[in-house]
Amino acid sequence: GDSVTQMEGPVTLSEEAFLTINCTYTATGYPSLFWYVQYPGEGLQLLLKATKADDKGSNKGFEATYRKETTSFHLEKGSVQVSDSAVYFCALQNSGYSTLTFGKGTMLLVSP
Amino acid sequence: GAVVSQHPSRVICKSGTSVKIECRSLDFQATTMFWYRQFPKQSLMLMATSNEGSKATYEQGVEKDKFLINHASLTLSTLTVTSAHPEDSSFYICSAETETYEQYFGPGTRLTVT
């Protein structure tokens, strides 16, 4: 079955540091890939997505590239802010199916 | 952008009572909505898929008689936790699916059963 594996957190960084959160997946077919962000006490917000190999999703300074050869979709940001502190979820949606498969989430803590 | 609301945002109920959670798509119609449960510091667990005008599809291990789902219109799905117990305390999140199969999530409902 489909699965998503994320690096375990928490990831602790100082403001303006470079961020990478690793995500790899296993899926049949050609899934779409997503990153969602969850701020404390809130629901999930879509951060970015990519629907096919080599696509790059980007939003609010975050980027992730769909790498079919390595089945990865790592999240990166060049300079994090305190306000980026949240839990980040990698997810996939297989073609022809509605349901999302989520990774376990990675907490990011950014200190001033 | 697409907005999904949930009501209430927080609810405390006594053991043995039932509680209803509403999920609404505010600016689009959603044939399909999803209900998730999230335990502290864990990922989202899909509980059921709610289809407008038909019975919900429950994931394995989810008691359909305990978690009643009704999707009465294209903008509203409800989850009723019946005879709630402390172990049902959790964060419940819904999502609504657009025509292009994108899911938009509600802000979540924190249920505490005392």
Side-chain angles (χ1 to χ4, degrees):
Chain A
D2 298 343
S3 66
V4 176
T5 303
Q6 289 181 237
M7 61 188 291
E8 289 193 21
V11 173
T12 304
L13 295 172
S14 297
E15 205 164 25
E16 299 183 3
F18 185 86
L19 168 72
T20 300
I21 299 178
N22 291 337
C23 171
T24 57
Y25 67 91
T26 302
T28 56
Y30 303 95
S32 295
L33 301 174
F34 304 82
W35 277 101
Y36 286 88
V37 58
Q38 184 179 33
Y39 297 100
E42 298 183 12
L44 272 68
Q45 299 175 26
L46 177 64
L47 182 59
L48 54 84
K49 68 176 184 180
T51 57
K52 61 183 188 296
D54 300 325
D55 268 2
K56 177 186 284 188
S58 62
N59 185 25
K60 299 180 182 179
F62 291 89
E63 292 183 341
T65 301
Y66 190 143
R67 300 285 187 202
K68 189 170 184 290
E69 64 275 15
T70 55
T71 61
S72 65
F73 193 54
H74 305 321
L75 182 69
E76 297 182 336
K77 186 175 186 182
S79 176
V80 293
Q81 305 300 313
V82 173
S83 57
D84 294 327
S85 298
V87 179
Y88 292 81
F89 291 93
C90 184
L92 72 81
Q93 182 181 51
N94 221 329
S95 56
Y97 294 91
S98 296
T99 55
L100 287 164
T101 301
F102 286 92
K104 291 188 175 181
T106 303
M107 179 178 286
L108 170 64
L109 300 171
V110 181
S111 57
Chain B
V3 179
V4 176
S5 69
Q6 276 184 247
H7 178 80
S9 57
R10 290 177 179 271
V11 58
I12 300 172
C13 70
K14 292 185 183 295
S15 187
T17 62
S18 296
V19 62
K20 180 185 287 188
I21 303 170
E22 292 185 349
C23 177
R24 292 181 186 273
S25 56
L26 298 185
D27 50 2
F28 66 101
Q29 293 185 329
T31 304
T32 303
M33 293 184 174
F34 301 89
W35 287 96
Y36 296 85
R37 182 173 180 177
Q38 186 179 32
F39 293 97
K41 298 184 180 180
Q42 294 191 26
S43 190
L44 282 74
M45 180 191 79
L46 178 65
M47 299 175 65
T49 302
S50 169
N51 296 296
E52 189 267 337
S54 64
K55 290 184 178 181
T57 303
Y58 290 83
E59 295 299 301
Q60 193 171 10
V62 178
E63 299 176 61
K64 61 182 180 182
D65 294 331
K66 181 168 187 59
F67 298 100
L68 300 179
I69 291 172
N70 184 280
H71 194 153
S73 77
L74 288 172
T75 59
L76 173 64
S77 176
T78 60
L79 168 68
T80 302
V81 183
T82 62
S83 187
H85 292 285
E87 58 265 29
D88 299 324
S89 298
S90 194
F91 194 54
Y92 292 88
I93 303 176
C94 73
S95 69
E97 184 179 76
T98 67
E99 290 181 344
T100 54
Y101 303 107
E102 294 183 351
Q103 285 189 39
Y104 290 87
F105 286 80
T109 297
R110 173 74 58 193
L111 170 63
T112 303
V113 184
T114 60

